[in-house]
Amino acid sequence: MLTNIISEPVEVHHTGKAIAYSGVIVLLYKLFVRLSLNNTFRWVLYESPTVLIRNGDIDRNGLKKVRMPMNELLSQLRVKGFTDTRNIAMAIMEETGNLSVIPKSAYRPLQPIDLNLKVNREYLPIPLIMDGQIIHANLKYLQLDQNWLLNEVKKRGGIVKNIMLATFLENGKLYIDNNGISDHEHDPYYYDPGKDH
């Protein structure tokens, strides 16, 4: 929006007008953001969430309110992995324009707690090399030095500049993903639809 407003004054060499217009837009934007943080004004400035499906039943009034045709609703549900509206406890068009879908309990993904299973804490692999560059901050965080990393890379016959991604795993080992992809010719799990066969 800002570029559209200032493009015409810039084209006709009115730089002063362009700066003034952009300043007004930025001030209005900041005012709008500030007001949206206030609970009193938030309900005036933003549309409240709208229920589109409740307990498997489509709310036609909700669809009309958000001006969404049925085929678009079905399309958005498919993108989220739902093919049957009867399996949905609630679908809501949020104030941001995103669709939130809550499945009925019988159709939600199985969770470990459903089976009374105790699971390990989630561990996020820590990148130590990305695109051939060593990430020194992460080495320092893990209290490892560059020599350790270079030795681990050397053990696997690699070179740092050729490594796409190397991560520090939960077991203290280094996982390396090189640029190369193994040849899996005629393996159906590695089918590439873009290639001429």
Side-chain angles (χ1 to χ4, degrees), residues 4-193:
N4 288 338
I5 289 171
I6 65 172
S7 61
E8 188 179 334
V10 168
E11 286 176 9
V12 292
H13 304 293
H14 290 299
T15 310
K17 279 186 179 179
I19 291 170
Y21 291 164
S22 59
V24 168
I25 293 298
V26 168
L27 285 173
L28 286 173
Y29 173 75
K30 288 197 171 274
L31 177 66
F32 184 77
V33 169
R34 181 70 64 157
L35 288 174
S36 68
L37 295 175
N38 185 313
N39 286 334
T40 308
F41 293 104
R42 185 180 312 151
W43 304 113
V44 175
L45 297 172
Y46 289 107
E47 190 71 30
S48 60
T50 305
V51 176
L52 304 180
I53 299 175
R54 188 187 317 264
N55 200 26
D57 296 323
I58 297 168
D59 187 329
R60 294 179 190 277
N61 292 330
L63 285 176
K64 284 180 185 175
K65 182 179 176 185
V66 298
R67 297 181 194 90
M68 180 182 281
M70 182 61 69
N71 62 335
E72 186 180 339
L73 173 65
L74 295 175
S75 170
Q76 289 201 31
L77 290 173
R78 285 192 301 272
V79 166
K80 294 191 174 290
F82 297 96
T83 56
D84 193 338
T85 58
R86 295 173 297 173
N87 302 341
I88 297 170
M90 191 165 287
I92 302 168
M93 178 63 72
E94 302 291 355
E95 57 193 29
T96 58
N98 295 323
L99 185 68
S100 296
V101 182
I102 302 164
K104 290 182 178 178
S105 58
Y107 297 98
R108 68 178 167 78
L110 189 65
Q111 304 292 323
I113 197 166
D114 295 332
L115 303 172
N116 293 323
L117 294 177
K118 185 177 180 181
V119 294
N120 296 332
R121 286 175 55 184
E122 189 65 33
Y123 178 81
L124 180 68
I126 301 171
L128 298 180
I129 300 173
M130 286 173 52
D131 295 324
Q133 299 288 320
I134 295 174
I135 304 173
H136 294 283
N138 288 352
L139 274 174
K140 184 178 178 183
Y141 175 78
L142 292 169
Q143 298 179 346
L144 297 171
D145 61 8
Q146 187 171 321
N147 290 333
W148 173 86
L149 181 60
L150 295 174
N151 286 335
E152 291 294 314
V153 169
K154 191 175 180 181
K155 281 181 198 174
R156 293 168 176 79
I159 302 170
V160 171
K161 69 177 183 177
N162 294 338
I163 294 175
M164 198 80 172
L165 177 67
T167 55
F168 185 79
L169 302 178
E170 187 175 15
N171 60 7
K173 293 185 179 177
L174 188 70
Y175 166 75
I176 297 177
D177 185 350
N178 292 321
N179 286 334
I181 297 175
S182 303
D183 185 21
H184 299 286
E185 193 172 347
H186 304 295
D187 186 336
Y189 289 104
Y190 291 91
Y191 171 69
D192 186 351

